[in-house]
Amino acid sequence: LHNLDAISGFQAVRRQHQTPQQQQQQQQQQQQQQAAGPSSRVVSPPKNEEWQLARRVVAEALQQLPPQAYLPPDLVGYEPGTPQTEQFAELMADLAVDEPGVRALWLYGPGGVGKTTLAMRLYNTLRSNFPQAAMMQLELEGSTQEQLCFQLQRALEKLRLPTDGSLAELLQRLADFVRHNKVLLLLDNINHSQQLNDLLPSVFSSGSRIIITSRTKELPSSRSYRALARSTQLVHAMPVVLSTAASKALLRSHHGLSEQHLDALGLSQLEGDVLQACGGWPLALQVIGGALFYGDEVCCSAGGAVDKHQPTTQITQQWKEVHDNFVHRGILTAQNACEARLEDIVALTVEKLSETARHIFLDLVSVFHQPLAAGRTVLKSILEVTWADKDGTRAFKELQ
């Protein structure tokens, strides 16, 4: 019920940017849905007393739930015995949740190496040991006063504190709270001194734990960083890259081809080149794996041979094009895969999308571009309402 207002607002904005032809097509779709009956469309419930009660129940329940960072359930690389698991255990020991004093972890490294994933896994594991916890996630290119206020308001809301006031007032409210209360705090994507100064209090209560991710190894120009290094046991660490086996598993989970597929299509060597170029960086593997994905319909026979009805020529051609574009042209290397040329990688993957999938992609971008923390459920509801036909469903699977 909470999502209906967001959906209707999104649809209103979307209609403003539609061409007359697109508006006509949408009207035809709505007429077809109406003819098919009420079961084929989303119906908004009346905003009566029950609706208002449901809003209050949901809002109260969300306040009671402990804030958890979202992570995929099948996280690759954290199986027993992997370098990621060993590093995770070491960092948990460094944070020593049962020890007194204040401890902090500074995770650094280039974009896409796995800082946020590691930080969120630590946060979720530590969360049950703290009566109060909050997290803030920032924009890479810097943050406006409005965005910083928004992040502080989210943190204060999780701590059940008032969220009104200026940036300075919000920070002071957070500082007063953490000075007297044991907390777990996660600051994700801190890359400028001013960001840290505006969001991180200088004094924490004993027992508190702070996790910060940044592309910068240190921020000595920040007074908050200097206070953190002076008053806490501060540990610096860079996430280890994925092993060859984990890299292969992550890449295949995105391009969808098994060992049998690759051998039958003669693509094993190309996959090896891609794995070497990615250098174990998770984001690079996910991006190029998506670019290599052909479709759910590819299958092998029991003997491992690709079915004769499968578009083997098209699959092989797509792999060669992606390999040439990403690897041979030097767009994708372990050094630059997630840095300055990420836009080139995204541009190439978007070019490969069908027209409907491109429209869905741009709809998602328009949502994330706004200073609104739209939740996964809201986005899912928007997509279900806006792209409810078979073409939309197929394109969304392609986009995933």
Side-chain angles (χ1 to χ4, degrees):
L1 297 179
H2 251 312
N3 300 335
L4 294 173
D5 292 337
I7 294 169
S8 59
F10 175 82
Q11 289 177 322
V13 173
R14 190 170 184 273
R15 283 194 294 270
Q16 295 175 5
H17 299 281
Q18 284 181 327
T19 64
Q21 183 180 6
Q22 289 173 328
Q23 292 177 356
Q24 184 178 4
Q25 290 176 347
Q26 186 173 1
Q27 289 175 356
Q28 291 175 350
Q29 289 179 353
Q30 291 173 348
Q31 291 171 357
Q32 291 173 356
Q33 289 177 347
Q34 290 173 357
S39 62
S40 64
R41 63 182 186 274
V42 176
V43 180
S44 299
K47 296 186 178 181
N48 52 23
E49 292 184 2
E50 289 185 6
W51 186 87
Q52 296 293 346
L53 175 61
R55 286 178 67 96
R56 291 197 298 271
V57 170
V58 171
E60 182 65 23
L62 289 175
Q63 286 294 328
Q64 299 298 328
L65 290 172
Q68 290 281 316
Y70 173 77
L71 286 173
D74 50 347
L75 197 59
V76 175
Y78 284 92
E79 299 82 8
T82 63
Q84 279 71 27
T85 302
E86 294 175 1
Q87 184 183 41
F88 179 83
E90 292 172 359
L91 294 177
M92 284 291 293
D94 289 332
L95 290 169
V97 68
D98 294 327
E99 295 294 326
V102 181
R103 300 196 177 203
L105 171 63
W106 186 278
L107 290 174
Y108 67 92
V113 76
K115 302 184 299 295
T116 297
T117 298
L118 177 55
M120 288 183 171
R121 194 164 187 266
L122 288 165
Y123 179 90
N124 287 346
T125 305
L126 293 169
R127 176 63 188 89
S128 60
N129 297 281
F130 292 85
Q132 304 289 348
M135 57 186 297
M136 294 180 264
Q137 293 181 286
L138 303 178
E139 301 282 347
L140 173 62
E141 300 301 330
S143 300
T144 64
Q145 293 286 301
E146 180 184 6
Q147 291 168 333
L148 292 172
C149 280
F150 176 72
Q151 292 298 330
L152 276 170
Q153 287 170 340
R154 290 187 66 192
L156 291 171
E157 184 179 16
K158 292 300 181 184
L159 299 173
R160 301 178 188 176
L161 298 174
T163 59
D164 58 310
S166 65
L167 178 62
E169 291 170 335
L170 295 173
L171 179 58
Q172 186 60 51
R173 193 172 299 146
L174 178 63
D176 292 341
F177 183 83
V178 302
R179 186 181 292 114
H180 303 290
N181 295 273
K182 172 184 172 182
V183 298
L184 172 64
L185 185 64
L186 168 60
L187 299 182
D188 186 31
N189 214 16
I190 293 287
N191 293 294
H192 305 288
S193 296
Q194 194 58 44
Q195 288 177 330
L196 199 60
N197 292 339
D198 288 336
L199 295 177
L200 185 68
S202 56
V203 180
F204 284 81
S205 175
S206 179
S208 294
R209 297 295 182 265
I210 306 137
I211 303 173
I212 299 173
T213 73
S214 175
R215 294 193 176 189
T216 306
K217 185 175 181 179
E218 297 175 318
L219 279 177
S221 59
S222 165
R223 66 174 183 275
S224 294
Y225 177 86
R226 295 194 298 271
L228 189 72
R230 184 173 57 252
S231 61
T232 71
Q233 296 186 45
L234 179 60
V235 175
H236 293 77
M238 179 175 174
V240 295
V241 297
L242 294 175
S243 65
T244 301
S247 297
K248 187 179 293 186
L250 181 58
L251 182 65
R252 290 179 179 178
S253 71
H254 284 76
H255 68 54
L257 299 182
S258 66
E259 192 87 44
Q260 291 177 324
H261 289 95
L262 296 167
D263 290 341
L265 293 167
L267 299 176
S268 299
Q269 181 60 48
L270 293 183
E271 186 191 48
D273 292 345
V274 168
L275 287 169
Q276 184 176 2
C278 289
W281 290 30
L283 182 58
L285 291 160
Q286 292 169 10
V287 170
I288 199 167
L292 293 170
F293 176 73
Y294 185 84
D296 290 332
E297 68 273 15
V298 181
C299 62
C300 282
S301 65
V306 176
D307 190 289
K308 65 179 181 180
H309 299 295
Q310 299 303 320
T312 56
T313 303
Q314 294 93 318
I315 297 171
T316 304
Q317 182 63 30
Q318 175 173 321
W319 271 65
K320 288 181 178 178
E321 287 179 3
V322 172
H323 177 270
D324 291 342
N325 284 330
F326 283 73
V327 180
H328 282 181
R329 286 173 52 189
I331 289 178
L332 182 64
T333 67
Q335 288 70 38
N336 69 14
C338 306
E339 287 291 336
R341 308 189 73 177
L342 182 58
E343 288 186 10
D344 296 333
I345 298 175
V346 174
L348 282 172
T349 58
V350 172
E351 288 174 5
K352 297 295 182 183
L353 295 175
S354 64
E355 183 179 1
T356 304
R358 279 199 301 272
H359 284 306
I360 294 178
F361 174 76
L362 295 175
D363 281 349
L364 288 169
V365 171
S366 70
V367 172
F368 280 114
H369 184 65
Q370 304 300 320
L372 168 70
R376 293 173 61 84
T377 305
V378 175
L379 290 176
K380 185 174 183 290
S381 301
I382 289 172
L383 291 169
E384 286 176 346
V385 172
T386 312
W387 303 97
D389 56 5
K390 289 184 179 179
D391 287 341
T393 303
R394 186 162 49 246
F396 187 56
K397 291 180 69 176
E398 174 190 357
L399 185 60
Q400 286 181 306

PDB file of all heavy atoms in Angstrom, residues 54 68 106 108 247 336 354 364 378:
ATOM      1  N   ALA A  54      -3.306   0.382   7.771  1.00  0.00           N
ATOM      2  CA  ALA A  54      -2.227  -0.416   7.172  1.00  0.00           C
ATOM      3  C   ALA A  54      -0.949   0.405   7.053  1.00  0.00           C
ATOM      4  O   ALA A  54       0.151  -0.094   7.315  1.00  0.00           O
ATOM      5  CB  ALA A  54      -2.655  -0.936   5.795  1.00  0.00           C
ATOM      6  N   GLN A  68      19.098  -3.824   8.219  1.00  0.00           N
ATOM      7  CA  GLN A  68      20.046  -4.762   7.629  1.00  0.00           C
ATOM      8  C   GLN A  68      20.473  -4.246   6.261  1.00  0.00           C
ATOM      9  O   GLN A  68      19.672  -3.686   5.523  1.00  0.00           O
ATOM     10  CB  GLN A  68      19.404  -6.144   7.476  1.00  0.00           C
ATOM     11  CG  GLN A  68      19.168  -6.867   8.790  1.00  0.00           C
ATOM     12  CD  GLN A  68      20.430  -7.507   9.332  1.00  0.00           C
ATOM     13  OE1 GLN A  68      21.187  -8.130   8.612  1.00  0.00           O
ATOM     14  NE2 GLN A  68      20.663  -7.352  10.620  1.00  0.00           N
ATOM     15  N   TRP A 106      38.634   0.890   8.304  1.00  0.00           N
ATOM     16  CA  TRP A 106      38.664   1.722   7.096  1.00  0.00           C
ATOM     17  C   TRP A 106      38.962   0.794   5.909  1.00  0.00           C
ATOM     18  O   TRP A 106      40.081   0.368   5.706  1.00  0.00           O
ATOM     19  CB  TRP A 106      39.739   2.796   7.225  1.00  0.00           C
ATOM     20  CG  TRP A 106      39.762   3.805   6.111  1.00  0.00           C
ATOM     21  CD1 TRP A 106      40.334   3.665   4.891  1.00  0.00           C
ATOM     22  CD2 TRP A 106      39.189   5.126   6.144  1.00  0.00           C
ATOM     23  NE1 TRP A 106      40.163   4.808   4.135  1.00  0.00           N
ATOM     24  CE2 TRP A 106      39.457   5.726   4.886  1.00  0.00           C
ATOM     25  CE3 TRP A 106      38.478   5.845   7.094  1.00  0.00           C
ATOM     26  CZ2 TRP A 106      39.045   7.020   4.575  1.00  0.00           C
ATOM     27  CZ3 TRP A 106      38.073   7.137   6.780  1.00  0.00           C
ATOM     28  CH2 TRP A 106      38.344   7.703   5.536  1.00  0.00           C
ATOM     29  N   TYR A 108      39.430   0.301   2.050  1.00  0.00           N
ATOM     30  CA  TYR A 108      39.780   1.163   0.922  1.00  0.00           C
ATOM     31  C   TYR A 108      40.081   0.317  -0.315  1.00  0.00           C
ATOM     32  O   TYR A 108      40.316  -0.889  -0.236  1.00  0.00           O
ATOM     33  CB  TYR A 108      40.980   2.042   1.269  1.00  0.00           C
ATOM     34  CG  TYR A 108      42.270   1.269   1.458  1.00  0.00           C
ATOM     35  CD1 TYR A 108      43.151   1.059   0.396  1.00  0.00           C
ATOM     36  CD2 TYR A 108      42.605   0.730   2.701  1.00  0.00           C
ATOM     37  CE1 TYR A 108      44.325   0.345   0.571  1.00  0.00           C
ATOM     38  CE2 TYR A 108      43.768   0.010   2.888  1.00  0.00           C
ATOM     39  CZ  TYR A 108      44.630  -0.176   1.815  1.00  0.00           C
ATOM     40  OH  TYR A 108      45.786  -0.891   1.983  1.00  0.00           O
ATOM     41  N   SER A 247      35.958 -16.339  -9.366  1.00  0.00           N
ATOM     42  CA  SER A 247      35.751 -15.453 -10.521  1.00  0.00           C
ATOM     43  C   SER A 247      34.986 -16.171 -11.621  1.00  0.00           C
ATOM     44  O   SER A 247      34.066 -15.614 -12.227  1.00  0.00           O
ATOM     45  CB  SER A 247      37.103 -14.971 -11.064  1.00  0.00           C
ATOM     46  OG  SER A 247      37.792 -14.194 -10.109  1.00  0.00           O
ATOM     47  N   ASN A 336      41.715  -0.895 -14.895  1.00  0.00           N
ATOM     48  CA  ASN A 336      40.747   0.170 -15.188  1.00  0.00           C
ATOM     49  C   ASN A 336      39.312  -0.315 -15.245  1.00  0.00           C
ATOM     50  O   ASN A 336      38.419   0.453 -15.578  1.00  0.00           O
ATOM     51  CB  ASN A 336      41.096   0.859 -16.519  1.00  0.00           C
ATOM     52  CG  ASN A 336      40.870  -0.052 -17.731  1.00  0.00           C
ATOM     53  OD1 ASN A 336      40.224  -1.084 -17.632  1.00  0.00           O
ATOM     54  ND2 ASN A 336      41.402   0.350 -18.860  1.00  0.00           N
ATOM     55  N   SER A 354      17.760  -4.834 -26.044  1.00  0.00           N
ATOM     56  CA  SER A 354      16.636  -4.589 -26.934  1.00  0.00           C
ATOM     57  C   SER A 354      16.033  -3.228 -26.612  1.00  0.00           C
ATOM     58  O   SER A 354      16.317  -2.626 -25.573  1.00  0.00           O
ATOM     59  CB  SER A 354      15.580  -5.680 -26.749  1.00  0.00           C
ATOM     60  OG  SER A 354      15.046  -5.617 -25.435  1.00  0.00           O
ATOM     61  N   LEU A 364      14.728   3.140 -14.773  1.00  0.00           N
ATOM     62  CA  LEU A 364      15.427   2.913 -13.511  1.00  0.00           C
ATOM     63  C   LEU A 364      16.399   4.043 -13.211  1.00  0.00           C
ATOM     64  O   LEU A 364      16.509   4.517 -12.080  1.00  0.00           O
ATOM     65  CB  LEU A 364      16.177   1.577 -13.561  1.00  0.00           C
ATOM     66  CG  LEU A 364      15.323   0.312 -13.494  1.00  0.00           C
ATOM     67  CD1 LEU A 364      16.159  -0.909 -13.824  1.00  0.00           C
ATOM     68  CD2 LEU A 364      14.716   0.164 -12.115  1.00  0.00           C
ATOM     69  N   VAL A 378       9.584  -0.814  -4.083  1.00  0.00           N
ATOM     70  CA  VAL A 378       8.981   0.268  -4.862  1.00  0.00           C
ATOM     71  C   VAL A 378       9.352   0.127  -6.330  1.00  0.00           C
ATOM     72  O   VAL A 378       8.505   0.209  -7.226  1.00  0.00           O
ATOM     73  CB  VAL A 378       9.427   1.639  -4.325  1.00  0.00           C
ATOM     74  CG1 VAL A 378       8.904   2.759  -5.216  1.00  0.00           C
ATOM     75  CG2 VAL A 378       8.921   1.834  -2.903  1.00  0.00           C
TER      76      VAL A 378
END
